[in-house]
Amino acid sequence: MQIQPKASHFIDGEYVEDTTGEAIEVIYPFTGEVVAKVHAATPAIIDRALTAAARAQKEWASWTGTERGRVLRRAADIMRERNHDLSVLETYDTGKPYQETSVADATSGADALEYFGGLAGSLTGEHIPLAGGDFVYTRREPLGVCLGIGAWNYPTQIASWKGAPALACGNAMVFKPSETTPLCALKVAEILHEAGAPAGTYNVVQGMGAVGAALINDPRVAKVSLTGSVPTGQKVYAAAAAGVRHVTMELGGKSPIVIFDDADLENAVSGAILGNFYSTGQVCSNGTRVFVQKGIKDAFLARMTERLKGVVMGDPQDPAVNFGPMVSANQRDIVMGFVKKGVAEGARLVTGGHAIDGPGFFIEPTVFADVTDDMTIATDEIFGPVLSVLDFDTEEEALARANDTPFGLAASVFTKDLTRAHRMAAGFEAGTCYINTHNLAPVEAPFGGSKLSGVGRENSKLAIEHYSEMKGVYVAMTDVEAPF
Ligand code: NAD
């Protein structure tokens, strides 16, 4: 399989190269070897992408929603047909196990293309009757050229989750992937154009933060949708504000999982595994603060330790492997810094806690117990396989402590008490909540954060609101009355 892309960028329906841009090496996190190389976009490339997108958007928006939807649904079919190759590529790009990527990445991208493809034909305005037979009708219109900026943990999914609703509404997109995982978004662009999107409708340009910043500042950009960390979100939001551009911000988190004594232990442990160790912990909505009621704590820790014996590390391309390396040496070192802080600040290391020698960037799945709210591992986003168990006594206490964070991405509760489950869900200050599970993100449901974790929602019908705007048209049916 070809890992090196045909060229760095995908603009106006074709691969485009400009080797004068800074080189970006793609490193396979299992071997530490360079498996591909691309170049950051130069100002000429950025201009070319925006020019193509601005031109293509006019044509694309003139198609009916049904016609646009047909292209998106065709793209979904192609993506599913190529799931194996796309999953292998996603694994090279990120180091996530093929066991995961083959069911969670291109498949999730295809779901988004299919779902928003299905909605495209039914995007309409409304009719508002007024006195004297006058009326207003509203037209749902695209915003124009939308800029997508991606994080490195879900490169195919992020490129699709932003592209599908944007294109369904008649926008064009310029997408800048993370410089750490530049490969997969190119495939999304390729597939959309193969499915019949006019040249220039979906473009990909590579680069570091500076390329993203240059794109945001261009007046041709109408909207910015970022998936990234809070500090980057603050910069991007401020830059977008200067141009009064629309934004969607999918940012970081420090989400709670609250497990009551009456919870189904096996499900609670499974939820905490999904919420801490899936994608080696590199998931924004992870429930890294696991509040466990005192009566179930020992049983929870014992069962978690037991279940972690099922971890299989190795080459993530091997379908038997279920736990991959960190995306980069840098991310491994950041996470190990947090682990050392956890120990230094007095948390009890139950299992794991070490980086593993070798070319791959592995860290053992790590569980801390006796963690208190003020410890760094309980306050900061770690973005690695580090689970912290915090004890609690009462529901009231658990909810207050779960909410005592500037983040608000996700939250979950495990209990068999129905009324308590809904009370907790209502009380959580988080955009995406779960009862008796964690970290599922079906395209039909809204996904996004409150507080510092973000602005706007991806997926579900709500995403349409973030990629279109309503124009009101007043229609007078009687003569105009003027004072003179
Ligand atoms: P990051 O913030 O370092 O980078 C995100 C993207 O922003 C990259 O493409 C980067 O090049 C770009 N960027 C950086 N500075 C910029 C600037 N000044 N202007 C424009 N673009 C700029 O994030 P990351 O390390 O790639 O990803 C990890 C973070 O993303 C974590 O905090 C995680 O929680 C978050 N995340 C959130 C979600 C979500 O849906 N809420 C999903 C995945 C990841």
Side-chain angles (χ1 to χ4, degrees), residues 370-385:
D370 306 337
V371 177
T372 54
D373 295 359
D374 54 344
M375 289 181 186
T376 309
I377 55 172
T379 57
D380 291 20
E381 185 182 45
I382 298 176
F383 226 58

Side-chain angles (χ1 to χ4, degrees), residues 169-195:
C169 293
N171 302 287
M173 173 149 278
V174 175
F175 187 82
K176 189 204 83 66
S178 163
E179 57 273 33
T180 312
T181 53
L183 304 178
C184 299
L186 291 166
K187 291 290 174 192
V188 175
E190 210 180 283
I191 288 170
L192 277 163
H193 286 86
E194 205 176 316

